[in-house]
Each structure stands twice: as structure tokens, then as C-alpha cells.
Amino acid sequence: MKYLLFLTPFFLFNSSKNDPMDRFAEIEILPGHLETYLAFLNEEAKASLEKEDGVLCIHPTVKGNHVRMLEVEAAYRAHLQSSHFLHYKNATAEMIKSLVLIDVEVTDQKILEMVLKK
């Protein structure tokens, strides 16, 4: 199987809050489920950004049945307990063929400042 990698090169970090997390999620969706999966994903991403101050960035991308997403959260544990995240996880569990989570570290805090000024 040819594995496509197309991660968004965009890193954010908020060190002023506890429980920060920067992560790439690589998700392969089972055939026939992509449209439904993306509807749940987009609903969850929008709700997280609108309702959770600790969610700084959720940036999903897609190519074929492969979804790549950057998640930047200042309050990760709170996000995992939110009703919209739990709904997404439960609704999409049977649609996911594989899930790889890659925790990353910020390369330069000044990049965050530059991004937030734009």
C-alpha cells in the first residue's frame, strides 16, 4: 500500500495553560464511509473551536480515504471529555480503518507569535 503523507506544516503552542498538546492525527477511513466520516469530523472540529477556549487549532485535511489533522490544544484532557468530541468518537469508531497519533514539539515559540499576528 502506498502511504501518502501531506501534513500541514503549522505548529502552535500555548505554554500559559496547563495540559498543552500538539499532535498530528493520521486516519485511514474505510471505503464507503468517507463522506459520513467527514461530516462528523467537520461538525466536531467546528464545535471544538467555537466552544472550547483550550482548543487553539484543529486543521483537518483529506486526500482519498486518508485524513490528516493537526490538533493544538491547551487543555487536552478537557477536550477529550467534551460532549461533541465523545459524540464524534462514538459515531465514527466503526468507520476508521487505522489511526496513528503523532505528538510533536514546537520548534520555535516565536513562530506562534508570528502566526497569531496574521
Side-chain angles (χ1 to χ4, degrees):
M1 176 174 81
K2 188 174 184 180
Y3 196 73
L4 300 174
L5 184 66
F6 50 97
L7 300 176
T8 305
F10 182 73
F11 299 90
L12 295 177
F13 181 76
N14 185 344
S15 60
S16 65
K17 298 184 180 182
N18 50 2
D19 195 20
M21 189 275 311
D22 295 4
R23 168 179 287 165
F24 285 108
E26 298 180 354
I27 307 162
E28 184 177 358
I29 306 306
L30 290 167
H33 293 281
L34 184 64
E35 187 175 323
T36 303
Y37 175 82
L38 291 177
F40 281 111
L41 173 63
N42 290 334
E43 176 185 25
E44 193 279 330
K46 289 175 187 173
S48 296
L49 291 165
E50 290 173 355
K51 297 177 181 181
E52 295 183 67
D53 290 338
V55 174
L56 305 177
C57 174
I58 295 182
H59 184 66
T61 61
V62 64
K63 185 167 185 177
N65 276 10
H66 294 269
V67 174
R68 307 291 186 273
M69 180 169 35
L70 172 64
E71 301 172 277
V72 181
E73 301 173 23
Y76 183 61
R77 285 183 287 254
H79 173 65
L80 292 180
Q81 297 171 3
S82 68
S83 61
H84 47 272
F85 178 77
L86 294 172
H87 173 69
Y88 155 78
K89 288 300 283 186
N90 291 327
T92 62
E94 300 298 318
M95 300 177 197
I96 296 173
K97 181 176 180 178
S98 66
L99 169 65
V100 177
L101 301 175
I102 304 168
D103 292 346
V104 295
E105 294 182 20
V106 174
T107 60
D108 186 337
Q109 183 67 24
K110 291 185 181 190
I111 293 173
L112 170 62
E113 296 165 12
M114 294 171 66
V115 170
L116 293 177
K117 287 180 183 179
K118 289 202 167 239

